Amino acid sequence: MRTLSASLLAAQKAATNKPYVKVELKQRLGAVTRLKWANLYAGTEELYYHTAASPGDRSLIRARCTDTSPRKVYRQRVANPTAQSTFTSWTYVADCSYAGIALASAGANVVLFWCDTDTKTIKYIESTDYGASWGSAQTLATRVYGVYHLAAAMKANGDAMLVFYEFTTANFYKRTGGSWGSVGSMPDTPYIVSGLAINHETEWCLAITGRNASNQRCVWT
């Protein structure tokens, strides 16, 4: 049994009392802080493939594809993204296919992937100064079938991984010590893939959305 304090006992015995309600609002869901998002920009760009990354200087690197033939890749860098920043300036990169685009960054390194107009040739450009300047386009590989759903991630030391869907398999290329290795395949691939995402924490973490052979919608990790 818990005893009441003298002040509570006095309030309990009083002829009248005034209840007080204390309300606390916290931006949390359990132990997780709920972020309050702010809309920085609403432009007229097409609603099509888009990707973004934030390198070590906290700048914002964006890339997008157009949906009209010939499709084109554009990139953008905003050094200090705020509500007052300009998000309308885009730099043309290359013509592309409908395979999608992927950005990855870590520290000062940023890499942008896309697929050429043949839908089979994977290309990329890279920056080593937070996206302020970029090297020339490089060819990573030319695949047998069409490439879809590009996704990329990068480690702090510059190692990178590109994942993509090709015909019936989720494949990947991994760069270690500055050199790209040969293509690898995921051991399990959904019957139909609708999206890929990859990140690196202590290891490469992959998520795949799609359908299985029974036509059930699923998420694999």
Side-chain angles (χ1 to χ4, degrees), residues 99-157:
I101 50 179
L103 267 172
S105 68
N109 299 312
V110 190
V111 59
L112 169 62
F113 297 93
W114 71 93
C115 196
D116 207 349
T117 54
D118 62 358
T119 74
K120 300 177 182 179
T121 302
I122 302 172
K123 293 192 171 185
Y124 69 96
I125 56 174
E126 193 159 9
S127 170
T128 57
D129 56 4
Y130 308 100
S133 63
W134 296 79
S136 57
Q138 306 291 322
T139 296
L140 175 57
T142 299
R143 302 300 306 155
V144 178
Y145 302 103
V147 173
Y148 303 91
H149 305 307
L150 303 179
M154 184 180 288
K155 296 171 63 174
N157 64 358

Side-chain angles (χ1 to χ4, degrees), residues 159-173:
D159 290 352
M161 191 171 188
L162 174 72
V163 184
F164 57 94
Y165 185 59
E166 180 186 2
F167 192 45
T168 60
T169 308
N171 294 327
F172 66 89
Y173 285 98

Side-chain angles (χ1 to χ4, degrees), residues 21-180:
V21 178
K22 181 181 180 181
V23 178
E24 291 185 352
L25 299 178
K26 296 182 178 180
Q27 286 291 99
R28 287 180 174 272
L29 184 61
V32 179
T33 300
R34 300 182 66 179
L35 301 177
K36 186 176 181 180
W37 296 95
N39 187 6
L40 297 182
Y41 171 72
T44 59
E45 293 86 354
E46 295 173 283
L47 297 177
Y48 202 52
Y49 288 117
H50 175 274
T51 182
S54 182
D57 66 346
R58 298 185 179 182
S59 60
L60 176 64
I61 311 298
R62 298 167 64 204
R64 65 182 179 90
C65 288
T66 60
D67 191 21
T68 53
S69 185
R71 293 177 174 84
K72 301 178 184 297
V73 180
Y74 292 90
R75 60 174 172 83
Q76 177 189 96
R77 179 178 187 267
V78 179
N80 182 31
T82 67
Q84 289 71 44
S85 299
T86 299
F87 296 93
T88 57
S89 178
W90 294 93
T91 300
Y92 169 78
V93 177
D95 287 4
C96 66
S97 71
Y98 48 79
I101 50 179
L103 267 172
S105 68
N109 299 312
V110 190
V111 59
L112 169 62
F113 297 93
W114 71 93
C115 196
D116 207 349
T117 54
D118 62 358
T119 74
K120 300 177 182 179
T121 302
I122 302 172
K123 293 192 171 185
Y124 69 96
I125 56 174
E126 193 159 9
S127 170
T128 57
D129 56 4
Y130 308 100
S133 63
W134 296 79
S136 57
Q138 306 291 322
T139 296
L140 175 57
T142 299
R143 302 300 306 155
V144 178
Y145 302 103
V147 173
Y148 303 91
H149 305 307
L150 303 179
M154 184 180 288
K155 296 171 63 174
N157 64 358
D159 290 352
M161 191 171 188
L162 174 72
V163 184
F164 57 94
Y165 185 59
E166 180 186 2
F167 192 45
T168 60
T169 308
N171 294 327
F172 66 89
Y173 285 98
K174 186 164 64 174
R175 182 176 69 184
T176 305
S179 300
W180 290 100

